[in-house]
């Protein structure tokens, strides 16, 4: 591939945009850190909706790949720009990639710290099955039939759903990343991009927006009806809700971006604000009822509070 002409590459040094992007990248890390630490310290990811994590991970991945395509000429310009100017021109892509990475870490922690009392369940045959199996010998033994039945421990539908959705996230990212890279390396780099690349970028932007609109719906529904904050971090949301405004503005004024690149983040910020309001209301309700974020009485001994959530089997 031939190197781009100097006139095709950014020649200005936008200090305000550079400072804003660096602040946003730092703020992203600071905002997600309370959520990561909350799950690790509580050793539980209870309260999260797996559909929320699926939609969030796929939405942020679509946004990252969208920006990769629309800013691909800037990647080509790094062949003739200095390292510092290259880094500055790609800060918008770094922001979106960091957003995807930090959210995906929540998904990984969700699976790693999935509550054991929600992961396993005891499976017992129906009474009709017991009668058919032991009916002929029931009169000759004093052992209860229930103890003779085949009681097994299996995974719950919720845990199997979580694993399935995790696989879907991985497949989604892998396929779209391979498709995007293949087209970018095969088709010529032009401004505006090749029609195929424009169609793919638009698809990624629109699908990312749709997924972002749907992302918070299952989490809002779950949090609203459980009336518990769970493992959600209010600190993360308090930082991210106003930060999303700056995040969107930084993308709007970035060269090489369009509405498909920032609309998903604008929608996500608005719905996250709604979730924050619900969590604040439930936090006050929990304080009034004397329970913690997981519904345990605050004044009861730890052994009694954890009795309901004791795992059915030992080990990982």
């Amino acid at each position: 591939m031939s190197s781009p002409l100097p006139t095709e590459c950014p020649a200005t040094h936008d200090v305000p945009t550079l400072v804003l992007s660096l602040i946003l990248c730092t703020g992203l890390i600071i905002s997600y850190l309370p959520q990561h630490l909350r799950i690790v310290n509580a050793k539980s990811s209870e309260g999260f909706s797996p559909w929320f994590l699926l939609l969030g991970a796929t939405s942020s991945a679509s946004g990252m790949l969208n920006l990769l395509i629309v800013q691909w000429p800037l990647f080509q310009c790094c062949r003739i720009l200095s390292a510092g100017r290259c880094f500055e021109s790609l800060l918008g892509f770094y922001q979106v990639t960091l957003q995807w990475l930090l959210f995906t870490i929540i998904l990984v922690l969700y699976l790693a710290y999935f509550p054991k009392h929600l992961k396993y369940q005891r499976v017992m045959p129906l009474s009709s099955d017991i009668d058919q199996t032991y009916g002929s010998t029931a009169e000759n033994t004093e052992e209860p039939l229930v103890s003779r039945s085949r009681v097994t421990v299996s995974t719950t539908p919720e845990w199997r759903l979580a694993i399935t959705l995790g696989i879907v996230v991985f497949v989604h990212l892998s396929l779209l990343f391979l498709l995007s890279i293949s087209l970018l390396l095969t088709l010529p780099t032009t401004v505006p991009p090749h029609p195929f690349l424009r169609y793919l970028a638009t698809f990624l932007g629109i699908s990312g927006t749709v997924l972002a609109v749907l992302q918070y719906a299952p989490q809002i529904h779950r949090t609203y009806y459980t009336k518990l904050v769970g493992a959600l971090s209010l600190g993360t949301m308090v930082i991210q809700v106003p930060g999303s405004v700056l995040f969107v503005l930084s993308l709007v004024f970035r060269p090489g971006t369009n509405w498909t690149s920032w609309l998903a983040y604008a929608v996500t910020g608005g719905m996250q604000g709604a979730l924050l309001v619900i969590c604040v209301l439930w936090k006050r309700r929990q304080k009034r009822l004397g329970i913690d974020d997981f519904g345990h009485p605050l004044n009861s001994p730890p052994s009694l509070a954890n009795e309901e959530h004791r795992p059915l089997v030992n080990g990982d």
Side-chain angles (χ1 to χ4, degrees), residues 245-260:
V245 178
L246 296 177
F247 192 93
V248 170
L249 291 177
S250 70
L251 292 179
V252 170
F253 296 109
R254 274 276 160 196
T257 61
N258 53 40
W259 65 271
T260 64

Side-chain angles (χ1 to χ4, degrees), residues 6-286:
T7 56
E8 299 174 348
C9 299
T12 59
H13 180 58
D14 192 346
V15 177
T17 304
L18 172 63
V19 173
L20 177 60
S21 297
L22 291 176
I23 292 175
L24 285 173
C25 289
T26 305
L28 275 175
I29 298 174
I30 296 175
S31 67
Y32 274 100
L33 193 58
Q35 182 62 79
H36 297 162
L37 293 178
R38 177 166 175 77
I39 297 176
V40 173
N41 293 335
K43 292 182 172 53
S44 173
S45 58
E46 186 175 358
F48 276 98
S49 167
W51 292 105
F52 161 71
L53 297 174
L54 165 74
L55 296 171
T58 52
S59 173
S60 58
S62 297
M64 174 185 64
L65 295 176
N66 167 274
L67 211 59
L68 172 66
I69 293 174
V70 299
Q71 289 196 331
W72 184 250
L74 297 180
F75 282 87
Q76 299 296 321
C77 286
C78 287
R79 302 170 64 184
I80 62 174
L81 295 176
S82 63
R85 188 61 58 83
C86 174
F87 174 79
E88 179 182 350
S89 65
L90 295 177
L91 266 177
F93 175 75
Y94 297 151
Q95 287 176 219
V96 175
T97 303
L98 187 62
Q99 166 86 13
W100 162 79
L101 176 63
L102 293 171
F103 190 92
T104 304
I105 291 176
I106 297 179
L107 174 60
V108 174
L109 293 176
Y110 169 77
L111 296 174
Y113 289 95
F114 196 90
K116 289 185 178 180
H117 69 278
L118 298 177
K119 186 184 296 187
Y120 302 107
Q121 62 183 353
R122 290 189 178 94
V123 179
M124 183 180 300
L126 298 174
S127 58
S128 59
D129 296 335
I130 298 175
D131 294 340
Q132 293 176 2
T133 304
Y134 299 106
S136 59
T137 60
E139 298 179 356
N140 300 326
T141 179
E142 297 180 358
E143 185 178 359
L145 293 180
V146 174
S147 64
R148 296 278 306 274
S149 63
R150 296 181 179 179
V151 179
T152 60
V153 176
S154 66
T155 56
T156 62
E158 186 173 359
W159 171 240
R160 292 195 294 270
L161 174 64
I163 292 295
T164 302
L165 296 184
I167 295 174
V168 171
V169 169
F170 176 78
V171 173
H172 170 271
L173 174 64
S174 301
L175 292 179
L176 288 181
F177 178 77
L178 291 176
L179 176 61
S180 301
I181 290 297
S182 299
L183 291 178
L184 289 171
L185 296 179
T186 303
L187 299 176
T189 301
T190 59
V191 179
H194 191 278
F196 285 163
L197 291 174
R198 289 205 305 269
Y199 296 148
L200 179 58
T202 302
F203 166 75
L204 290 171
I206 294 177
S207 64
T209 301
V210 173
L211 292 171
V213 171
L214 300 175
Q215 172 187 354
Y216 278 90
Q219 186 60 60
I220 290 174
H221 179 273
R222 184 184 184 100
T223 304
Y224 180 81
Y225 282 101
T226 59
K227 293 180 170 59
L228 294 171
V229 175
L232 294 173
S233 171
L234 268 68
T236 289
M237 288 186 282
V238 166
I239 299 174
Q240 288 186 350
V241 169
S244 62
V245 178
L246 296 177
F247 192 93
V248 170
L249 291 177
S250 70
L251 292 179
V252 170
F253 296 109
R254 274 276 160 196
T257 61
N258 53 40
W259 65 271
T260 64
S261 303
W262 55 261
L263 183 59
Y265 300 99
V267 173
T268 300
M271 299 193 71
Q272 190 177 34
L275 179 62
L276 174 60
V277 172
I278 294 175
C279 287
V280 170
L281 294 176
W282 290 163
K283 197 76 173 179
R284 294 179 178 178
R285 176 180 178 273
Q286 292 169 189

